[in-house]
Amino acid sequence: MTESIDASVVVPTHSERRWASLQRTVASVQAQRVRPAEIIVVVDHNPDLFERVKAEFPEVTVLENESERGASGNRNTGAFYARSEQIAFLDDDTVAHPTWLEHLAAPFGDPAVVGAGGLIVPAWERHRPSWLPDELLWTVGVSYAGMPTSIAEIRNVWSASMMIRREAFVRVGGFRVGFGKLGDQNRPEDTELCLRISAETGGHWMYVPDSVIEHDVPLDRSTFRFFLRRCYAEGRGKVQMAGLLPREQKLGAEQDYLRRTLPRAVAHNLKAATLGRGSFHALRAVTVIAAVAAAGFGGGVETLAGMHESDTATRV
C-alpha cells in the first residue's frame, strides 16, 4: 500500500505551449513515493486549455483561475480550494524526483516551521552557457552557489518548489494578487509572500536540498540577452517589493549577496582565468559585472518611476 501525506499539490498552468511539460509535471507528482492527498491543476484564464486538462487528467482536480490573470492569482485559486494541512506548489515546467514531497514535508514536525523549499536543478534543453557562473543560476530559475548544501533555515524559498502550512497561507491572504509573474513581467511574489508570512506569524522557512526537482531551461532562456533582461527585471522587482515591506524589514539577503557572494565570484573566476583554467572563467567574471549593472539599472528605473508616480499623486 502506497504511503500518503496530508498535503495538496497545486500546479498552475497557462499556455498550451507547455502541454508536454505539464504532462511530465503531473506524472512526476503521481509517481511520488509518498503520495499527496490531492493534485490540483489551475488554468489561468484559458478555457480551451481548461477543457483539455480536464479531459487528459480525470483523476486530478482541475480549476480555473478565479482571480486576476497571473501566477499569484492562479496559485491562490488552487491553494484556497485545498483542504490539506500543507499546500505544495510546483511549476508546470518542472519534474519532481520521487522523494521530493516526503523530503519537503520533513521539517513540518517543528511547529515553528511555516514553510519549506527544495533544491531546483536545471534541465537544459541543449547545454549550459559557458559564460554563466554558478552564482547567477537563479536567472534561469534554479538553485545557485551560495545556498545551503544541507537542510537549514532560510529567509525565503521559491514557488517552483514550495510547501507551506495552509493556516499561515490563509492567514495572510496568500500571494499578493497583482504582484508577480505575468507575461514578461517578473516580480518576486514568492519572496514577498515568505517575508510577509514570517513577519505575521513569527515562523521560519527551511531549505531542504534532498527535496529535488528539475526545472526546464529552454534555449531562449539560455541567451545573454535573456540573462540581461532577467537581471534588469530583478532589479525593478526588488525595488517594488521593498516598497511593500515595512521600513524596518530590510533586504539583508540581497545586500549580502551583492557585497560578498558576487565579488567572490568575480575574484574566483579572474584567478582561474589567470591560472589558465579556461577562458570561460574570464567571461563569467564579466557576466557578474554585467548582472550587477543590469540589476542596478533596473532598480534605478523603478525608483525614478516610483518617485514620478508619487509626485503625480501629490499634485492630484
Side-chain angles (χ1 to χ4, degrees), residues 6-316:
D6 188 17
S8 300
V9 178
V10 175
V11 181
T13 190
H14 68 284
S15 173
E16 290 86 347
R17 289 178 296 178
R18 289 190 174 181
W19 180 253
S21 62
L22 174 64
Q23 290 178 305
R24 294 195 302 270
T25 302
V26 173
S28 73
V29 180
Q30 293 172 327
Q32 290 297 297
R33 191 165 71 180
V34 173
R35 300 290 294 274
E38 60 182 341
I39 303 171
I40 304 171
V41 176
V42 191
V43 182
D44 192 10
H45 296 275
N46 188 330
D48 291 340
L49 179 60
F50 172 70
E51 294 299 332
R52 186 179 184 184
V53 174
K54 282 203 305 180
E56 174 77 11
F57 304 110
E59 70 283 10
V60 169
T61 299
V62 185
L63 306 174
E64 290 185 281
N65 182 5
E66 297 177 348
S67 184
E68 292 181 22
R69 186 185 299 274
S72 294
N74 217 24
R75 294 194 189 99
N76 284 349
T77 295
F80 291 140
Y81 176 90
R83 292 295 177 266
S84 301
E85 288 188 13
Q86 274 84 248
I87 302 167
F89 296 98
L90 196 63
D91 280 359
D92 65 350
D93 56 353
T94 65
V95 172
H97 287 198
T99 58
W100 164 72
L101 190 63
E102 62 180 292
H103 284 303
L104 198 58
F108 286 84
D110 180 355
V113 172
V114 291
L119 176 68
I120 306 175
V121 298
W124 303 99
E125 183 175 349
R126 184 167 297 174
H127 55 75
R128 172 182 170 174
S130 61
W131 46 263
L132 183 60
D134 295 342
E135 291 80 3
L136 291 169
L137 284 171
W138 60 264
T139 58
V140 293
V142 303
S143 301
Y144 57 93
M147 298 183 72
T149 56
S150 59
I151 188 168
E153 184 175 340
I154 197 169
R155 186 196 68 173
N156 67 274
V157 300
W158 294 343
S159 52
S161 176
M162 170 191 284
M163 181 178 282
I164 185 170
R165 292 190 190 277
R166 182 179 183 278
E167 180 183 5
F169 187 86
V170 172
R171 178 174 173 178
V172 302
F175 289 95
R176 188 181 294 273
V177 176
F179 182 80
K181 298 173 181 66
L182 175 61
D184 293 333
Q185 176 179 284
N186 201 312
R187 296 169 177 167
E189 79 281 354
D190 36 19
T191 302
E192 192 276 336
L193 174 70
C194 292
L195 292 174
R196 185 156 38 93
I197 286 180
S198 294
E200 178 72 20
T201 66
H204 58 263
W205 295 80
M206 299 298 293
Y207 181 65
V208 188
D210 288 338
S211 175
V212 183
I213 68 167
E214 298 177 21
H215 190 288
D216 290 348
V217 185
L219 286 177
D220 61 358
R221 295 191 178 187
S222 301
T223 66
F224 196 69
R225 182 179 180 181
F226 173 85
F227 169 80
L228 290 178
R229 290 205 315 267
R230 182 69 184 82
C231 292
Y232 171 82
E234 186 73 5
R236 295 199 67 166
K238 284 298 169 64
V239 170
Q240 292 169 342
M241 186 180 73
L244 299 172
L245 299 175
R247 290 186 177 182
E248 66 274 10
Q249 193 170 10
K250 298 180 180 180
L251 301 181
E254 284 79 4
Q255 294 172 357
D256 185 70
Y257 179 74
L258 286 171
R259 293 173 181 173
R260 299 184 182 182
T261 303
L262 292 186
R264 281 200 299 264
V266 172
H268 166 75
N269 282 291
L270 286 178
K271 181 179 179 180
T274 58
L275 293 175
R277 295 176 182 170
S279 59
F280 68 89
H281 283 291
L283 291 175
R284 290 184 178 183
V286 173
T287 297
V288 174
I289 296 170
V292 174
F297 182 63
V301 168
E302 186 59 37
T303 299
L304 291 175
M307 292 172 61
H308 176 72
E309 290 179 6
S310 177
D311 184 57
T312 301
T314 302
R315 290 180 182 179
V316 173

